Amino acid sequence: MSSMLKSLSIMMIASSLVFAGGESDVIDYVKKKLSRNPQVKINSATVEEKLPIPGIKGWSAYVIGLDINLTRGKETRRIHFEDILFVSKNLITSELVDRKTGRDVRSMIQPKLPKDIYDPSHLLYGSPDAPHKLILFSDPLCPFCRMYVPELLKAVKENPERMALYYYHLPLQAIHPASATLVRVMEVAQKDGKNEIIDKMYRIDIDPHIEDEEKILEIVAEKTGYRLSPKQIHQPWIDKKLGKDRITARKLLVTGTPTIFVDGKKDITREKYKKFIEKK
């Protein structure tokens, strides 16, 4: 999530409990809070989904979809984003924590998966007919991803009839700008049938703060032998696919990496795929 969206997040504007009655009260509350910001013009605010919260009675999670115009200086941008509010019979809050586990309840919420989530163009490894389908949102320069993803890729490659891995890019550019270029390299490599380059992106030795695209491409060429030009990684189809990945992450409220879904359910443990590894 960009800093701009963070500043608009319902999580930021709804910092305390308030009384609520139904969906209309939730929307009225959101509009009232946002309207206090003179830089914001609300085009629409809707309840996208109302979801139960596993193990927590009396509360529901409302996925709120917002379409706004944000003006900063002379620039006005139209932005659409989703966020969550927790609602009981009489209360609304943006934060809810499980007292027993200390876990932020947001991590337990999962909107419905898009119908096209298992798009063949996102299939990285495994058979589309495999009984277990994995969806991964990742950034090759995320330290946690670099520890986790190589093992996951290896497991799927060695068990292609058991698992299929659908890969979605979520480069955290504010933290490590170089990932924005690397994911474009990964897209071209996948289309070229060079998936081994994708694996190498999780091991490449590169300063994550580099922003010079040509310098990044030169490092990739030196480290992997795979040489691409800026023109090759800025084709319209790449822009379109990366844009779809961002939208999909947004709709599923994925803001961190790695995030994995196993057989349609978010796996907070990130370990469930190991059950599908064939024992030798």
Side-chain angles (χ1 to χ4, degrees):
M1 183 182 290
S2 69
S3 59
M4 184 176 293
L5 291 191
K6 284 183 179 178
S7 66
L8 292 167
S9 171
I10 296 172
M11 183 176 67
M12 300 295 290
I13 62 174
S15 58
S16 60
L17 289 169
V18 296
F19 289 105
E23 289 190 10
S24 60
D25 288 334
V26 174
I27 294 303
D28 287 345
Y29 173 71
V30 171
K31 288 182 175 180
K32 183 179 179 180
K33 285 289 184 179
L34 280 177
S35 65
R36 294 177 182 176
N37 187 338
Q39 296 176 310
V40 174
K41 176 187 175 184
I42 304 169
N43 299 317
S44 66
T46 58
V47 174
E48 301 289 336
E49 289 187 69
K50 177 183 176 182
L51 302 169
I53 304 175
I56 299 180
K57 296 181 180 180
W59 290 85
S60 297
Y62 282 65
V63 181
I64 310 298
L66 282 161
D67 186 325
I68 67 169
N69 288 344
L70 177 65
T71 300
R72 287 191 170 179
K74 297 181 179 180
E75 179 187 8
T76 297
R77 292 177 56 189
R78 186 169 183 175
I79 303 172
H80 180 79
F81 64 100
E82 286 83 22
D83 212 327
I84 289 178
L85 285 177
F86 301 106
V87 182
S88 70
K89 184 178 180 180
N90 297 312
L91 299 169
I92 300 175
T93 183
S94 62
E95 297 181 8
L96 202 59
V97 177
D98 187 322
R99 288 178 59 186
K100 293 181 179 179
T101 65
R103 180 184 297 166
D104 184 343
V105 174
R106 284 173 170 264
S107 66
M108 302 162 61
I109 304 304
Q110 179 189 317
K112 295 177 182 176
L113 294 178
K115 293 181 179 179
D116 61 348
I117 193 72
Y118 299 118
D119 182 339
S121 69
H122 285 83
L123 179 62
L124 183 59
Y125 289 120
S127 167
D129 298 321
H132 301 292
K133 292 179 171 54
L134 316 178
I135 302 163
L136 175 68
F137 289 86
S138 182
D139 176 336
L141 294 182
C142 159
F144 300 105
C145 293
R146 289 170 80 88
M147 290 187 289
Y148 174 78
V149 174
E151 185 178 349
L152 172 65
L153 298 182
K154 181 175 183 290
V156 179
K157 284 189 289 184
E158 293 179 350
N159 297 270
E161 300 307 316
R162 290 170 172 257
M163 294 181 276
L165 177 63
Y166 293 82
Y167 188 105
Y168 283 79
H169 295 287
L170 188 60
L172 306 177
Q173 295 172 233
I175 304 174
H176 14 80
S179 61
T181 298
L182 294 188
V183 298
R184 289 178 174 274
V185 171
M186 292 163 72
E187 279 295 331
V188 178
Q190 184 177 1
K191 190 169 185 179
D192 285 349
K194 297 182 180 293
N195 286 3
E196 70 276 7
I197 298 299
I198 296 174
D199 296 31
K200 290 179 179 180
M201 292 300 100
Y202 282 91
R203 300 190 299 272
I204 193 169
D205 183 13
I206 187 171
D207 181 348
H209 302 105
I210 298 176
E211 297 185 26
D212 186 326
E213 189 172 81
E214 292 190 1
K215 185 175 182 180
I216 295 170
L217 292 176
E218 185 60 35
I219 293 173
V220 169
E222 291 176 359
K223 302 290 186 180
T224 70
Y226 190 58
R227 185 173 294 277
L228 294 173
S229 67
K231 182 178 180 180
Q232 286 176 291
I233 66 169
H234 283 283
Q235 301 178 64
W237 68 268
I238 299 175
D239 296 338
K240 183 177 180 180
K241 190 174 178 185
L242 293 178
K244 179 181 178 181
D245 287 8
R246 287 192 296 271
I247 291 172
T248 303
R250 191 186 72 205
K251 287 185 176 298
L252 290 177
L253 303 174
V254 175
T255 57
T257 58
T259 294
I260 187 168
F261 295 77
V262 177
D263 294 335
K265 300 292 183 181
K266 185 188 294 184
D267 177 17
I268 299 174
T269 71
R270 303 190 184 108
E271 298 288 322
K272 290 182 180 178
Y273 78 90
K274 293 182 179 180
K275 297 179 181 179
F276 314 137
I277 297 174
E278 186 175 8
K279 296 181 180 180
K280 298 181 180 179

